[in-house]
Amino acid sequence: MRAFNFSPGPAVLPTEVLEQARDELLDWRGSGASVMEISHRSPSFVEVATRAEADLRELMSIPKNYHVLFMQGGASAQFSLVPLNLAPPRATVDYIDTGHWSQKAIAEARRYCEVHLAGDAGGSYGAPPQDELRFSGRACYAHYTPNETISGVEYRYIPETHGVPLVADMSSSILSQPLDVSKFGLIYAGAQKNIGPSGLTLVIVRDDLVGRARAETPRVFDYKAIADQQSMLNTPPTFAWYMAGLVFKWLKKAGGVRAIGERNRLKAEMLYGAIDDSRLYKNSVAKDSRSRMNVTFTLSDVGLEPLFLEAAGEAGLTGLKGHRVVGGMRASLYNAMPIEGVEKLCAFMRDFERRHP
Ligand SMILES: *Cc1c(COP(=O)(O)O)cnc(C)c1O
């Protein structure tokens, strides 16, 4: 039996998608081979690849003047590839620091650029408001992390950068609600949270930002070279790409990002409600920055945490342990987590509190 898996990533995939992948694993479309075993340049795989891109474009209403790149290396590779591709040596780049992942991005950018800190959470768990942001006014781009996966902090707004290309690490929030892509210069996301299996990284980039890579940028990581070859400069992660395509189809069938966004809002509301109504559980994020994707909470009696995790596991609720750097609990409510999973988690939490008053 499948558990309700709240893992932060790699994360739950829709059961229907896994079933389809299972059914066609050995003999894909009557080819006598697995989709994993065929050339990425074969017409049938190229069709899978093109279809996936078209479905993603439709789901996110990606304007025509944006490229969609199917890359490897994870979001962490983009921490270096964004500065290498968008900024000349010693150029100034603006970053907003809201926690773990922004800090990782900043540390990497510092190896290539002058990083100007345009804002931070000021020591609290929250996203800084627009009027506290201080951009340098001379940056090649401004980078932020719309959803901090580890602390569970999410922006409720898109920062206004006054013409400076906005770059966003959307690894844990892409496709989770409607989004105006035209407000961004570049969006990147590792696939393993809301898209598909790990190994695939999506980059959505406005065409005027492509073709600026530094001379020393590895060719397989040069956005222009990748765009020119439809992300097939070398062998792409074909199975992950195929799986992402199945997830996009599933998402379209589920009503697209508007419907899934509404469902995500309900799921988060339900879980934060259960936390706020209790005396045992506590969430420390500012209310206006609470993540809909990653809900963090601690137990007022820390000693109960191992017991909580064990009992949850026995109840078929897995992946709830918080990140090692922050501790506590974290329930990730990505698109593929059904409402029933969150209902079951809330019921379990109430019951656990009753048994441990
Ligand atoms: C998971 C995550 C990353 C790291 O992704 P990798 O693909 O493992 O490099 C980076 N940023 C955010 C916001 C994440 O959630």
Side-chain angles (χ1 to χ4, degrees):
M1 202 196 74
R2 273 169 69 72
F4 286 117
N5 170 13
F6 295 90
S7 165
V12 55
L13 287 166
T15 302
E16 300 93 301
V17 164
L18 292 172
E19 283 167 348
Q20 182 177 348
R22 176 200 59 200
D23 291 346
E24 52 194 34
L25 189 66
L26 299 189
D27 180 9
W28 180 66
R29 293 185 181 175
S31 65
S34 172
V35 67
M36 277 186 271
E37 301 173 303
I38 61 168
S39 166
H40 55 294
R41 304 198 190 277
S42 63
S44 44
F45 188 81
V46 168
E47 197 210 311
V48 168
T50 334
R51 189 73 248 161
E53 179 178 335
D55 285 341
L56 179 71
R57 283 183 176 276
E58 186 184 326
L59 280 164
M60 293 183 70
S61 312
I62 300 174
K64 283 207 169 49
N65 62 325
Y66 284 73
H67 295 285
V68 177
L69 312 179
F70 290 76
M71 295 180 62
Q72 301 186 62
S76 302
Q78 298 302 321
F79 296 163
S80 327
L81 299 178
V82 165
L84 278 172
N85 273 279
L86 302 191
R90 288 183 300 278
T92 298
V93 291
D94 290 355
Y95 277 72
I96 308 174
D97 173 5
T98 39
H100 183 90
W101 290 117
S102 354
Q103 286 157 17
K104 293 272 184 198
I106 290 166
E108 238 1 73
R110 285 209 165 109
R111 305 178 60 204
Y112 307 101
C113 296
E114 291 296 328
V115 172
H116 166 86
L117 278 185
D120 62 40
S124 67
Y125 279 140
Q130 174 77 45
D131 62 11
E132 282 178 17
L133 300 179
R134 298 285 176 267
F135 294 108
S136 65
R138 55 192 148 81
C140 292
Y141 63 84
H143 179 284
Y144 82 121
T145 313
N147 184 64
E148 283 283 0
T149 321
I150 291 178
S151 50
V153 167
E154 184 174 14
Y155 286 69
R156 286 283 175 278
Y157 71 100
I158 298 174
E160 173 54 61
T161 56
H162 305 288
V164 173
L166 181 61
V167 175
D169 173 2
M170 289 201 190
S171 295
S172 51
S173 51
I174 193 164
L175 290 165
S176 67
Q177 64 179 338
L179 179 78
D180 182 355
V181 173
S182 74
K183 292 214 157 34
F184 296 84
L186 187 149
I187 292 167
Y188 63 91
Q192 65 274 21
K193 283 132 192 183
N194 242 345
I195 296 171
S198 59
L200 174 70
T201 314
L202 280 187
V203 174
I204 301 165
V205 54
R206 209 172 60 211
D207 54 15
D208 62 295
L209 298 174
V210 167
R212 302 181 180 191
R214 296 184 191 187
E216 69 268 28
T217 309
R219 209 171 106 75
V220 289
F221 288 135
D222 176 333
Y223 296 152
K224 177 158 183 6
I226 300 166
D228 286 349
Q229 300 289 320
Q230 289 77 44
S231 305
M232 297 222 192
L233 199 62
N234 66 328
T235 316
T238 51
F239 189 68
W241 195 332
Y242 150 84
M243 288 292 288
L246 297 187
V247 171
F248 298 154
K249 286 223 180 315
W250 170 83
L251 197 49
K252 279 173 66 174
K253 227 171 94 189
V257 285
R258 193 162 297 282
I260 211 82
E262 186 51 30
R263 205 174 85 167
N264 288 336
R265 195 182 61 74
L266 285 173
K267 290 185 313 192
E269 218 172 78
M270 203 188 308
L271 184 49
Y272 284 116
I275 292 169
D276 291 344
D277 286 346
S278 87
R279 302 216 280 169
L280 179 60
Y281 311 107
K282 181 171 162 354
N283 167 273
S284 315
V285 178
K287 283 225 162 97
D288 62 358
S289 306
R290 284 174 156 186
S291 169
R292 293 158 310 118
M293 291 286 102
N294 311 97
V295 179
T296 50
F297 56 96
T298 49
L299 271 60
S300 57
D301 178 356
V302 188
L304 282 176
E305 290 188 355
L307 203 63
F308 177 92
L309 289 169
E310 195 190 312
E314 280 162 13
L317 304 162
T318 63
L320 288 165
K321 195 170 165 49
H323 191 274
R324 58 197 148 77
V325 303
V326 294
M329 309 293 153
R330 170 174 47 171
S332 295
L333 311 181
Y334 300 123
N335 288 348
M337 171 56 63
I339 289 189
E340 304 80 72
V342 184
E343 285 169 348
K344 190 165 172 195
L345 174 60
C346 293
F348 167 80
M349 287 168 65
R350 286 193 199 97
D351 183 56
F352 185 86
E353 184 170 5
R354 261 196 303 277
R355 285 187 286 122
H356 302 275

